[in-house]
Amino acid sequence: MTPFIGEILGTMILIIFGGGVVAGVVLKRSKAEASGWIVISFGWGLGVAMAIYAVGQFSGAHLNPAITIGLAVIGEFPWAKVPVYLLGQMMGAFIGAVVVWLHYYPHWEATEDQGAKLAVFCTDPAIPHTPANLMSEIIGSFILVLGVLAIGANDFTEGLNPLIVGLLILAIGLSLGGTTGYAINPARDLGPRLAHFFLPIAGKGSSNWKYAWIPVVGPLIGGIAGALFYRHVFVDGNPLALLAGLVVLVMCLAVSVMTEKRDSSKHDSSRRTALKHNG
C-alpha cells in the first residue's frame, strides 16, 4: 500500500468512527441518542487509535494536515510529500463522511435539528467568539502535536503507541473540546463539511462556511507552534523558545481582551441608539 492510499484509508476510518459516534449521540431515534460528550470523546479517541493501527506501517498515519505540516516545518518530514499527504487526508475525510451519512440514512429525516445534523460532519463553537474560538483550536492543536511528538520519543511496548495517541485525543476532547468541538485537524473538519454541502441530506441547513476557516487555520497555527516548541524546548533545551511561547500567549490574550472591549463598546453603542430611537 502506498502512503497516499494509507492516508486516504486511515483518515476515512478516523471519520467513520468519529462522525459515527457523533451521529449516534445527536440524531433522533438512534439507540445511542443523548449519551453525551464522554461517549463522543471516547469514540474519537478510539477512532484515532484504530486508524493509526490500520495504516501506521504504510504512511506513518499522520491523518491530519496539522501534523504533516508541523513535522515538515521541523525537518521531520519532506516537504515534497506534503501535498500528497494533504490530498489523501482530505479525500479520506470526505469519503468517511459519506459512509457515515449512508450508515445513518433514515435518521436524517427523523431529525429536525439542522445544527445537530451539521455537528455530525464538522465543528461549531459553543459560544461564537472569533478570537476565543481560534485560540481554542490553536491550543488544542498545539497540545496534540506536542503530545504526539512526546509520545513518539518514549519506548513503549510494541504496538501501544497508537493506543496512547488515542488516549491523548480523549484527554483533549474531555479537557479542551467543550469550546469548539476540538476539530484540531483541518481535514477532519473541511472534508466532512464539504460532504455536508454536497450530499442530499434530508432537511439539512447551512454548512456554516462563515466559521469554516477557524478549524482550518487554528489547527495549522497550533500544529506548527507545537512542533517548533517541542523541537526547541524538549529537544534543544533552548530557554528562549519557552520565553517566546509565553510572549505569544500574552499577546494572544491581549488581542482577545481588546476584541472583547471593542465588541462590548459596539453593543453598548447599539443599545443606546435603540433606546434613544424607542424613547
Side-chain angles (χ1 to χ4, degrees):
M1 183 186 297
T2 66
F4 175 63
I5 299 299
E7 287 296 294
I8 291 176
L9 294 179
T11 312
M12 180 191 73
I13 292 169
L14 167 65
I15 298 300
I16 289 174
F17 277 104
V21 71
V22 176
V25 171
V26 305
L27 296 182
K28 293 296 182 182
R29 299 177 65 183
S30 159
K31 293 182 181 294
E33 184 181 353
S35 51
W37 186 252
I38 293 179
V39 170
I40 289 174
S41 297
F42 264 98
W44 276 107
L46 292 174
V48 169
M50 293 304 104
I52 297 173
Y53 275 123
V55 303
Q57 61 182 314
F58 303 110
S59 70
H62 292 188
L63 316 179
N64 183 341
I67 291 177
T68 300
I69 294 176
L71 291 176
V73 166
I74 63 173
E76 296 292 331
F77 188 73
W79 280 104
K81 294 184 179 180
V82 168
V84 172
Y85 269 60
L86 299 191
L87 179 60
Q89 291 155 8
M90 283 294 299
M91 290 177 62
F94 185 94
I95 295 169
V98 173
V99 172
V100 172
W101 169 65
L102 290 171
H103 184 82
Y104 283 92
Y105 189 80
H107 294 269
W108 306 106
E109 188 172 359
T111 304
E112 295 182 2
D113 187 344
Q114 295 178 343
K117 295 175 185 180
L118 180 61
V120 174
F121 294 88
C122 52
T123 62
D124 67 333
I127 299 177
H129 187 289
T130 298
N133 301 153
L134 181 63
M135 184 56 56
S136 290
E137 287 296 330
I138 291 173
I139 292 172
S141 304
F142 177 94
I143 295 298
L144 170 65
V145 175
L146 176 64
V148 166
L149 289 170
I151 290 168
N154 287 273
D155 293 325
F156 293 104
T157 302
E158 185 177 357
L160 280 183
N161 284 53
L163 183 59
I164 303 301
V165 173
L167 291 175
L168 171 64
I169 299 298
L170 171 62
I172 292 173
L174 295 177
S175 302
L176 304 174
T179 53
T180 60
Y182 74 120
I184 59 173
N185 182 339
R188 168 265 177 273
D189 196 273
L190 183 56
R193 195 181 297 268
L194 286 168
H196 178 272
F197 179 78
F198 286 111
L199 288 172
I201 303 167
K204 72 174 180 179
S206 166
S207 300
N208 195 13
W209 292 107
K210 181 179 179 180
Y211 178 77
W213 68 274
I214 290 178
V216 172
V217 174
L220 291 178
I221 295 174
I224 292 171
L228 289 171
F229 188 85
Y230 178 81
R231 167 54 60 86
H232 292 296
V233 176
F234 282 67
V235 177
D236 298 338
N238 186 351
L240 292 178
L242 179 59
L243 178 61
L246 293 174
V247 170
V248 171
L249 184 62
V250 171
M251 291 176 61
C252 291
L253 178 61
V255 170
S256 296
V257 169
M258 288 187 293
T259 303
E260 184 69 30
K261 288 183 177 179
R262 184 197 64 188
D263 292 343
S264 297
S265 298
K266 287 183 179 180
H267 176 74
D268 292 341
S269 177
S270 299
R271 184 179 180 184
R272 286 194 298 268
T273 302
L275 290 173
K276 183 179 179 180
H277 177 75
N278 292 333

